[in-house]
Amino acid sequence: MDLFEYQGKQYFARFDIPVSAGGVAVTVDQAVTVAESAQYPVVVKAQVQVGGRGKAGGIKLANNADEVRTHAGNILGMDIKGHVVKRVWVEHASDIDEEYYASFTLDRAAKKHLLMLSAQGGVDIEEVAEKDPDAIVKLHVNPVEGLSVAVAKKAAVDAKIPAKAQDGVAEILVKLYRCFTEGDCDLAEINPLILKPTGEVHALDAKVSLDANADFRHPEWEEFKATVELDDREKLARDKGLQYIGLDGYVGIIANGAGLAMSTLDVVNQVGGKAANFLDIGGGANADVMASALEVINFDKNVKSIFINIFGGITRGEEVAKGIVEALGRVDLRAPIVIRLDGTNAEEGREILRNAGIPESKLVSKPTMLEAAKAAVEIAKK
Ligand code: GDP
Ligand code: MN
């Protein structure tokens, strides 16, 4: 679960990481009220879960109420990379001497926590990562040992953080690591982590992603869940009880099992296509589930073909086939289906599909995942 910046900062504050005082506003008037109590100058920041807000014009300094009105008015409702700004965060503006970068993530290959730290933080960190990767120090943290101040300080030295900021940075790294582990984050990132003229080190931005698997440990996450933004497709899928994630491609995907659904995305990508979604219909691919899945896929205007990828284990091929035939009677699909049906009773299933009188223009059956992916992508590109 991704948090908005303001929520990330609230989360940081629980772990004693210094952030600026401010408040959330959904209207221009509220923004002014918050600005008055945060004290000028303030910065008005678009709250959307996408990076590069600054470059997109979603972050503005304001010295008085008029400027807050202008900026909040412009930013509220702004579209940043497809995300419409519904709230702004207004905080007291900070003076910045230097901008650093710090984050903790899980390095799945190494099975360890990974600290990334750079003295060259700010809005161009992606460029630094690409052109000057050595400017980003990477350090594994053993979760059993944790992160000591001494190790954190060494990382700061290695990252060429200037001497005057090293202690402040190390202290925040230790707190950020606690936030990452005890706070059950998948990602805890501060960019920029700033050095103020006063010598204080301070989190100016917050990117936090919480590990949904740890949900049961955190009743306090309820307030974050309330603001999760689903797109219309995801809302429809949730109402129908489906495991669906909207993507921005054009091949609709239906698969049974999360692993197979993931592989299906990969294969579509491998043959040069782009998936419109992730959708795992699980074990019970009966007519109701299949009809719901097809309805959700059909709702997505970008979908040009539908790739149904079923490997029958407990799910039997003839059940799936019956489900599809029945679902096709209920849902009027805009895009043709390419199906790969394999596993338990696959032949019986294909037989049912062949005998159902569905025209070739609406449903094609392919024996392998790769062939089906190629066909689905080809149809979509026509
Ligand atoms: P992002 O563009 O979405 O990563 O948003 P950030 O919160 O990281 O802000 C982008 C940039 O805006 C920062 O790197 C700063 O240079 C600038 N900025 C943000 N807040 C302040 C502030 O309080 N004071 C000043 N002077 N600049 C700020
Ligand atoms: Mn940032």
Side-chain angles (χ1 to χ4, degrees), residues 260 307-311 339-342 366-369 372:
L260 185 61
F307 180 5
I308 302 181
N309 192 5
I310 303 290
F311 190 90
I339 181 165
R340 173 258 186 163
L341 187 55
D342 209 342
K366 294 284 174 188
T368 69
M369 185 155 151

Side-chain angles (χ1 to χ4, degrees), residues 281-361:
I281 53 169
N286 60 29
D288 284 340
V289 175
M290 192 54 87
S292 296
L294 287 171
E295 266 173 60
V296 172
I297 302 270
N298 204 38
F299 177 76
D300 183 345
K301 300 280 176 290
N302 293 327
V303 167
K304 298 286 183 292
S305 67
I306 303 167
F307 180 5
I308 302 181
N309 192 5
I310 303 290
F311 190 90
I314 296 168
T315 311
R316 300 199 313 273
E318 80 272 20
E319 291 273 311
V320 175
K322 279 185 208 153
I324 292 172
V325 173
E326 202 184 317
L328 281 176
R330 290 196 226 162
V331 190
D332 189 17
L333 292 181
R334 289 176 295 103
I337 294 175
V338 178
I339 181 165
R340 173 258 186 163
L341 187 55
D342 209 342
T344 311
N345 295 358
E347 193 38 55
E348 288 87 335
R350 289 189 210 120
E351 181 80 22
I352 290 171
L353 290 174
R354 267 195 300 275
N355 297 334
I358 306 164
E360 178 99 1
S361 62

Side-chain angles (χ1 to χ4, degrees), residues 1-8 46-53 80-87 205-210 224-231 234:
M1 178 170 49
D2 294 337
L3 300 188
F4 289 102
E5 174 198 1
Y6 74 92
Q7 296 170 324
Q47 296 301 292
V48 281
Q49 289 170 346
V50 62
R53 295 166 302 160
I80 300 182
K81 300 177 188 167
H83 297 243
V84 177
V85 182
K86 294 185 184 139
R87 335 175 167 71
D205 191 6
K207 197 162 171 191
V208 172
S209 187
L210 301 172
F224 298 143
K225 281 187 214 158
T227 55
V228 168
E229 287 186 350
L230 299 176
D231 72 21
E234 290 173 337

